[in-house]
Amino acid sequence: MANSTLIYDIRNSRYLNITGRCTLRCQFCPKHNGSKQVHDYQLALDHQPTAEEIIPLLGDIDAYDEYVFCGYGEPTLNLATLITVAKEIKLRGGQVRVNTDGLGNLFHRRNILPELAPWVDSLSISLNADNETAYLMHCKPKLKGSYDSVKAFIRLAVNTIDSVQVSAIDGLEGVDIAACRTWVEQSGAEFKHRSLGVVG
């Protein structure tokens, strides 16, 4: 357990690493290329952290612009920890962002957004492709119907969460970044243009 990095700081945000499990096997993710490192932090986990482990590590809430649930796993897969910790941060006056692949509803077989909404200020959702063929090729989802599910999640999220940002990565074969932007903006979310190979 001592080897697991449960929190790490980038710029003025504190990042919370709550799971190593994921619903995708993205070919561009560093963990599929032999690295689980971001900046100087090694993010491999040997267990699913509990809220009781994370909360003492939050530090002075006022010292950070925001708390971001983000590691090399999908935070919504450790939903109970995510919600309990996010609630604690909000009750202490902090800001909460969740970086997600948008497959939480598909994985949990229910709409989890109403459970997140009271405690999450913003979502950063990875769309990664403007078409299912490219999505399947690059993201290699473990669950059937993942591409339609992430798009449905984005449409629901904009009506549930205050701030929704959706990203796609420039440089992936078969991905039309302009088409991604158009779809995202038509859905009512903010588009974030990312570049291949830039992490954190």
Side-chain angles (χ1 to χ4, degrees), residues 108-121:
H108 291 287
R109 299 195 175 102
R110 67 176 189 275
N111 181 10
I112 63 171
L113 284 160
E115 298 164 56
L116 297 176
W119 317 116
V120 173
D121 300 288

Side-chain angles (χ1 to χ4, degrees), residues 16 18 50-51 55 69 75-91 96 98 108 110-120:
L16 308 173
I18 63 167
T50 62
I55 287 171
F69 287 88
T76 60
L77 299 193
N78 193 357
L79 191 61
T81 294
L82 192 163
I83 290 171
T84 304
V85 174
K87 181 176 181 179
E88 181 71 21
I89 294 165
K90 289 306 298 173
L91 292 175
V96 174
V98 177
H108 291 287
R110 67 176 189 275
N111 181 10
I112 63 171
L113 284 160
E115 298 164 56
L116 297 176
W119 317 116
V120 173

Side-chain angles (χ1 to χ4, degrees), residues 16-148:
L16 308 173
N17 182 24
I18 63 167
T19 184
R21 297 164 60 211
C22 197
T23 20
L24 298 176
R25 291 162 294 205
C26 296
Q27 298 309 288
F28 50 82
C29 178
K31 80 173 180 185
H32 291 300
N33 298 300
S35 167
K36 289 193 179 177
Q37 195 159 325
V38 168
H39 293 244
D40 297 328
Y41 303 104
Q42 194 55 252
L43 299 185
L45 289 174
D46 52 20
H47 67 300
Q48 287 259 90
T50 62
E52 289 72 24
E53 288 175 82
I54 300 285
I55 287 171
L57 305 174
L58 293 176
D60 176 8
I61 302 284
D62 296 332
Y64 298 96
D65 292 341
E66 62 179 353
Y67 284 80
V68 185
F69 287 88
C70 176
Y72 275 130
E74 167 51 42
T76 60
L77 299 193
N78 193 357
L79 191 61
T81 294
L82 192 163
I83 290 171
T84 304
V85 174
K87 181 176 181 179
E88 181 71 21
I89 294 165
K90 289 306 298 173
L91 292 175
R92 293 196 210 166
Q95 291 284 307
V96 174
R97 176 157 62 97
V98 177
N99 287 6
T100 176
D101 62 15
L103 297 176
N105 288 358
L106 183 63
F107 178 83
H108 291 287
R109 299 195 175 102
R110 67 176 189 275
N111 181 10
I112 63 171
L113 284 160
E115 298 164 56
L116 297 176
W119 317 116
V120 173
D121 300 288
S122 57
L123 286 178
S124 293
I125 307 170
S126 302
L127 176 63
N128 291 330
D130 60 293
N131 64 84
E132 187 171 29
T133 304
Y135 184 84
L136 293 174
M137 177 168 76
H138 295 297
C139 299
K140 302 208 173 338
K142 298 175 183 175
L143 302 170
K144 282 195 173 75
S146 286
Y147 186 64
D148 287 340

Side-chain angles (χ1 to χ4, degrees), residues 177-191:
I177 280 286
C180 290
R181 177 186 291 276
T182 299
W183 186 87
V184 168
E185 291 176 348
Q186 284 173 349
S187 301
E190 179 193 345
F191 182 70

